[in-house]
Amino acid sequence: MILGIAFAVISGLLWGLIFIGPLLIPEYPSILQASGRYIAFGLISLPLSWYDRARLRKLLLKDWLEAIKLVLTGHLVYYTCLTSAIQRIGVPISTAIIGTLPLMLTVTTHIISPNEQKLPNHTLLISLFLMGTGLLCVNISELRSEFFILNIWQYASGIILAIVSVLCWAWYALRNAHWLKTHPHNKPMTWANAQGMVTLPLSCLVYFFVCICCSDLIQDEFSLPFGPRPIFFIFLMVLIGFCCSWLGTFFWNEASQRLPTTLIGPLIVVETVAGLMYSCIHQQLWPSPLILIGMFLLISGVTCIMQICKNTH
């Protein structure tokens, strides 16, 4: 269990980097950032898949179809919505909304799990209160800014996109964990490589579709296919594709195969905290007291669930 927790923490620290990408290249449309990241993920997976080809051949057609569904929902749609939300409402609110993932996963698991795996109802209520209050604190801090007053529709659309990204990733996490637990003979690296192989053609298709069919919707000064900063864009996509996509997926798969869903769900809070930490470092600013209080309450709510899960399992 300790090793599984360590893997989940490492994946959260890696995934926290995804909140920085949109800040470094704000002029790039979110769909290009998402598809570019997963093209890099797919290219990185190719040599690893060749090394792992014996195990990949054992996957059935239904397994590859499952990988396609996971990639579309938990990778492409999720990251497109997240980057677009960050560009609209910034990192603090986006990470706070993503921070509700642990509670959502735990509540969902509590509902669908067998009776012996269910958590006490009072634990869920306390955690819900702590995390809801934490989310409110972060949003109040951001709502005080002039940004919200002048861009109410942009703010509202950003909130909706962030919520959609949460729903996509929650579905991905539960479905991915279910597949790994029902296929214990498959190594997590093999499943990461399978998702990488499926991601490559889908991401290439999306990227080229945007370049060919949606060029009129992109600003005139934006030069396709790699934008105004091609070298930096390619470098960033490769970095995020390797660290956040391949390594993050690998470590998460390792954790998912070792830990019960009721325990691994709360550990996603590491991604939220890491995202805020990286954002503060990038902006060279200390977070406001309300954001600090909000993050403390979010972590407290998750810790409450995690402690009960440890005692239960």
Side-chain angles (χ1 to χ4, degrees), residues 15-242:
W15 281 336
L17 295 171
I18 66 176
F19 295 96
I20 301 301
L23 299 179
L24 297 177
I25 47 175
E27 69 273 25
Y28 282 76
S30 57
I31 186 64
L32 286 185
Q33 292 190 43
S35 53
R37 167 190 173 180
Y38 290 111
I39 288 175
F41 174 32
L43 291 174
I44 291 168
S45 300
L46 282 180
L48 298 170
S49 298
W50 175 256
Y51 173 79
D52 202 26
R53 61 188 183 279
R55 294 191 183 95
L56 288 170
R57 288 197 193 102
K58 296 179 181 178
L59 295 178
L60 304 176
L61 176 59
K62 63 179 181 179
D63 297 323
W64 289 107
L65 293 175
E66 182 70 11
I68 291 174
K69 289 186 287 185
L70 289 171
V71 161
L72 284 174
T73 305
H75 290 281
L76 286 172
V77 176
Y78 160 74
Y79 194 60
T80 299
C81 292
L82 178 60
T83 53
S84 186
I86 291 173
Q87 290 174 337
R88 284 170 167 80
I89 60 177
V91 171
I93 297 181
S94 299
T95 51
I97 294 175
I98 295 296
T100 62
L101 262 172
L103 185 62
M104 178 181 293
L105 289 175
T106 305
V107 170
T108 304
T109 306
H110 176 78
I111 294 174
I112 66 177
S113 292
N115 291 332
E116 63 270 14
Q117 295 183 3
K118 288 184 180 295
L119 299 175
N121 289 327
H122 68 274
T123 301
L124 293 177
L125 292 176
I126 293 173
S127 299
L128 177 62
F129 173 77
L130 290 173
M131 297 187 72
T133 306
L135 181 60
L136 182 63
C137 289
V138 174
N139 277 271
I140 288 176
S141 175
E142 292 299 298
L143 291 177
R144 288 179 173 179
S145 67
E146 187 179 6
F147 170 85
F148 173 72
I149 298 175
L150 298 178
N151 300 275
I152 185 170
W153 295 114
Q154 183 175 343
Y155 179 88
S157 64
I159 292 292
I160 293 172
L161 287 166
I163 292 174
V164 171
S165 68
V166 168
L167 295 175
C168 288
W169 214 96
W171 181 87
Y172 170 85
L174 292 171
R175 191 91 175 203
N176 189 63
H178 174 75
W179 190 94
L180 287 165
K181 283 179 170 51
T182 54
H183 298 77
H185 56 283
N186 281 284
K187 292 184 176 296
M189 180 180 291
T190 302
W191 193 229
N193 288 331
Q195 292 187 35
M197 290 183 64
V198 168
T199 299
L200 182 57
L202 292 174
S203 301
C204 287
L205 184 63
V206 171
Y207 197 96
F208 288 117
F209 176 80
V210 173
C211 292
I212 296 173
C213 300
C214 302
S215 57
D216 294 339
L217 301 178
I218 300 177
Q219 299 176 356
D220 294 337
E221 62 271 16
F222 193 93
S223 55
L224 292 169
F226 300 119
R229 293 186 287 165
I231 295 178
F232 183 72
F233 173 69
I234 294 172
F235 169 78
L236 185 63
M237 292 301 99
V238 171
L239 179 65
I240 294 179
F242 177 68

